Amino acid sequence: MAEGERPLLIPCLALSSGIVLADLGLSLPVSAVAAIFFCLILSCAIRHRLTLEICTFLFFLSWGVYVLPLWTKPPMLAHTIESFADRQPHTVEGIIRSRPVITSAPTGTASSFNLEVSAVIADKRRLPINGTLMMYVRSGEVTQSRGDLIRLVTKIAIPHRLGLPGEFDFARFLSFQGVVAIGSVATAEDIVLMRGAVRDVLLARIDREARRLGDCIRASLSDVRVSSVLTALLVGDQKRIPPDLSAAYTRAGVNHILSISGFHVGIIALFMVQSLLLIVTRFEYLVLRFNLRRAVLLPALPAMLIYLLLSGTAPATARSVAMLAVFVLALYVERESDPINALLISAMLLLAVNPTTLFDLSFQLSFLALWGMCLFVPPVMAFFTGVRSGWLRSLLQFSASSCAASLATVVPVLFFFNQASFNGILSNFLIVPLLGYGAVVSGFCGLLLSMIHTALAQPLLWVAGKLVFVSNWLIVRLGELPLIQFHGITRLDMLAFVGFMCLATFVRPGRPRTALCILAPSLAVMVHLAEPSAADGRLHITMLSVGQAESLLIRLPEGSTLLVDGGGYLYDTGRDFGERTLAPALFRLGVHRIDYLVMTHSHPDHNGGLPHIARTFPVGEFWEAAPGGNGPFYEQLRAALALQRTPRRLLAAGDVFALPGGVSLRVLSPLRQVLRPAGEGREMDQNENSLVFRISHGAISCLCTADAGFSAEQRMLKDGVLMASTVLKVGHHGSRFSTSGEFLDRVTPRVALISAGQGNSFGLPASRTLALLHGRGICTYRTDLDGTIELVSDGATLRVATPYRVE
């Protein structure tokens, strides 16, 4: 590779590294950055290449370290929004900072937006504060726009991690948007407009125009599944797409087409250029006096900018506009534009404007897809230099681009989502012409005409709607094709993958590059092969930190797994707890099969995540407390297990099971004499009749009491089934109505485990329960403080660890 061919490589690499180091906690004073900048200026005077490159690298590295906290930790006033996170409703006043996003919800529609808080009204006083809230509107569409001053009443909460392996760090995600807390209101009518267009007047007008265009599409197309997709394609309003349809696009491998990106911007720019060229070439005067092919390129720049603003300035769209602008300007000045350099320029521009863009998943995937196309398509097309047919060459280039994008993103997609689809290679051939070249162009023209009169847009929007309808029909069928599922991708694999891409791009062709490109993935594979087996001869009990819910993972010495309960939300949120929280944690722990799925009772905080687990993992047997459960989650669970033909076993006191690896399980409750026929009186005593069992391995044992309270404890004490146990899983999340002193004296545990949500509204675990445990010298671990808790025993000793402790 020639000297100076990649002038932005060092700055881009250094800036990205600095931002990552800042995210890991490194910080630098501004004086250090200024000193390095001074050294950079001096190195320019010295004119020594190596010195200049070192100083350039250090400056951009230090700048990345310095600038990220300016976004994630803005300067604070005496009063901050976090100081009002006391679970009490507060009257909040502030300016809408982001375009309100409308989403599909169980109640119809819901909304969300960022609110830059300026004051809290307390005791008839207006307290100036700062901080940004992520506001959720549980029902209804927000009619206010960016820049409007509003007032509302909300409880303020600080987002926090649960302390689960593989957990999505929502607090970190919000901090990249400058958000420090979250709040919610019941309906859009709870928001009071104080004054409109206080700030960002231009952006507010653009938002209102985007909303008008979206309303025009929805008024023209009555089918929600059609209008929502077309709105996503044209104005970036992707959240309205029904969840099942969005999931089908994802399974088919073409979900990227629903997010406005370089493809959409490029299609619009190309359409405008060709249309203008067709018009101006009709005038002989212009043809004779101007280079029209160059001149028509410039109007594409404002058109791309307007499209960017209408779509909400998403990072992926901004990157695409920056990259395409570089290509357009290069063509205008008649200079060759290297695609890798254009990619580096666009990345530098975005990171300079907003360094948190580096952590945006859509930016990462779209950047890698373009990188893959820039890297792999040219050498592939070099094999077909003899192809003269224009349409055949275009088809080959389209195929190569689709394959390159899929290959360049398969590792990160598997890392983030645990599944990937090569169906996109087939789907792109069908969906891209329909939506990209068809629906986007016809819909865009329709929206332009709607600015004159809505009736003029109807024919073109009807055509776009029919194309979307066909696309949706195809997507549902393509989404039924099998997916690639792999749950073992680690950060080391991601590092090896990025290293491979860098070596293939920036190292001169030759044997050293070939050897290094083979070495990077080989090392990752060798690390996987050297991983220890799950069957390590020890009993592992993991209390998963699932908030105000409960779930235990038990690994037997020979590798078999028991999953006891699946957590869940206490109230219907419209979200799947198993899909969002539990399954990713199990995947990250290396679980690929549930040999014994155990449900202690059918309350939603214990079985809410189990239906998804039963649909996702092979399940050997299903155990539950007799006479069985009820409720919607229970019915979904039984239906999923029926598809697997999983045998069901009802458990009651006295049942004893010899499990593999020398482990035994004894059921202590519900007692057989209190069992009732199915459907009779289950609602009033599910907690007291939940499944209680004792699992033992050698001299170490654990008593799991589910949500059993005083009544169940007294029954077991009276029946004499309780035995001393090394570990006690405290009943009912540490409630004051469970874990009596007499019960503790009989069990005499050394270690107690409590599953509770951080800052839960029930005040659990109760101070009375904690006092009883501490008074007896029992070492107590809590998921709300310690995160996920791991116990490991060889049958003689016990080790307790909290590797995911929440700080």
Side-chain angles (χ1 to χ4, degrees), residues 572-779:
D572 184 17
T573 64
R575 301 188 296 268
D576 191 322
F577 185 87
E579 180 180 17
R580 294 170 62 94
T581 305
L582 185 57
L586 295 177
F587 288 142
R588 190 54 57 92
L589 289 170
V591 176
H592 304 292
R593 172 184 170 84
I594 307 296
D595 295 286
Y596 306 92
L597 184 61
V598 183
M599 188 187 76
T600 61
H601 61 299
S602 55
H603 281 166
D605 59 327
H606 285 254
N607 77 341
L610 293 182
H612 180 78
I613 298 302
R615 291 190 292 265
T616 307
F617 293 83
V619 178
E621 295 184 30
F622 173 54
W623 295 357
E624 64 172 319
N630 61 3
F633 290 118
Y634 179 75
E635 297 303 326
Q636 293 174 34
L637 172 62
R638 290 293 303 276
L641 293 171
L643 291 176
Q644 290 196 41
R645 298 183 178 178
T646 302
R648 173 191 180 218
R649 191 189 295 267
L650 298 175
L651 308 186
D655 290 338
V656 179
F657 301 94
L659 299 175
V663 176
S664 66
L665 186 148
R666 179 182 296 273
V667 180
L668 309 182
S669 182
L671 301 178
R672 293 192 181 278
Q673 59 264 35
V674 299
L675 295 185
R676 300 180 180 180
E680 183 181 324
R682 273 185 273 167
E683 284 301 325
M684 66 179 64
D685 56 11
Q686 274 208 52
N687 286 338
E688 299 300 343
N689 284 330
S690 57
L691 185 67
V692 178
F693 62 89
R694 181 178 184 269
I695 189 167
S696 58
H697 176 48
I700 303 300
S701 57
C702 178
L703 179 63
C704 299
T705 57
D707 276 359
F710 290 150
S711 176
E713 291 174 6
Q714 287 300 316
R715 289 203 314 262
M716 289 185 285
L717 285 165
K718 182 179 179 181
D719 200 53
V721 297
L722 290 173
M723 293 179 285
S725 300
T726 316
V727 180
L728 170 66
K729 198 294 296 176
V730 176
H732 207 177
H733 315 282
S735 165
R736 62 191 178 95
F737 299 110
S738 68
T739 318
S740 66
E742 184 183 2
F743 177 81
L744 286 175
D745 292 338
R746 178 71 64 87
V747 178
T748 63
R750 300 202 315 257
V751 176
L753 308 178
I754 301 175
S755 182
Q758 188 179 102
N760 64 84
S761 58
F762 304 101
L764 299 175
S767 56
R768 170 207 156 274
T769 305
L770 293 174
L772 284 173
L773 294 169
H774 295 157
R776 286 165 172 75
I778 301 169
C779 186

Side-chain angles (χ1 to χ4, degrees), residues 123-176:
D123 299 326
K124 298 183 179 180
R125 292 185 304 147
R126 191 175 185 276
L127 300 176
I129 64 172
N130 73 342
T132 301
L133 278 176
M134 169 69 83
M135 285 300 308
Y136 294 95
V137 181
R138 296 190 292 274
S139 177
E141 298 186 16
V142 174
T143 56
Q144 291 80 10
S145 301
R146 218 175 340 189
D148 290 349
L149 178 66
I150 63 171
R151 181 179 289 182
L152 49 84
V153 178
T154 181
K155 293 180 180 179
I156 297 167
I158 305 298
H160 61 272
R161 293 186 298 112
L162 292 173
L164 270 176
E167 175 185 7
F168 175 68
D169 194 339
F170 186 58
R172 176 174 173 266
F173 168 76
L174 291 180
S175 73
F176 291 151

Side-chain angles (χ1 to χ4, degrees), residues 186-217:
T187 67
E189 285 72 28
D190 295 327
I191 300 173
V192 178
L193 177 65
M194 304 297 293
R195 187 150 50 101
V198 174
R199 201 172 62 194
D200 301 329
V201 177
L202 177 61
L203 291 177
R205 289 179 179 176
I206 292 171
D207 287 352
R208 285 193 290 271
E209 181 61 21
R211 184 183 302 153
R212 186 194 69 79
L213 295 175
D215 290 340
C216 177
I217 295 171

Side-chain angles (χ1 to χ4, degrees), residues 414-415 417-420 484-490 493 528 592:
L414 285 173
F415 177 75
F417 304 110
N418 298 307
Q419 65 180 25
I484 299 172
Q485 292 190 333
F486 184 71
H487 310 289
I489 299 295
T490 64
D493 299 316
H528 280 288
H592 304 292

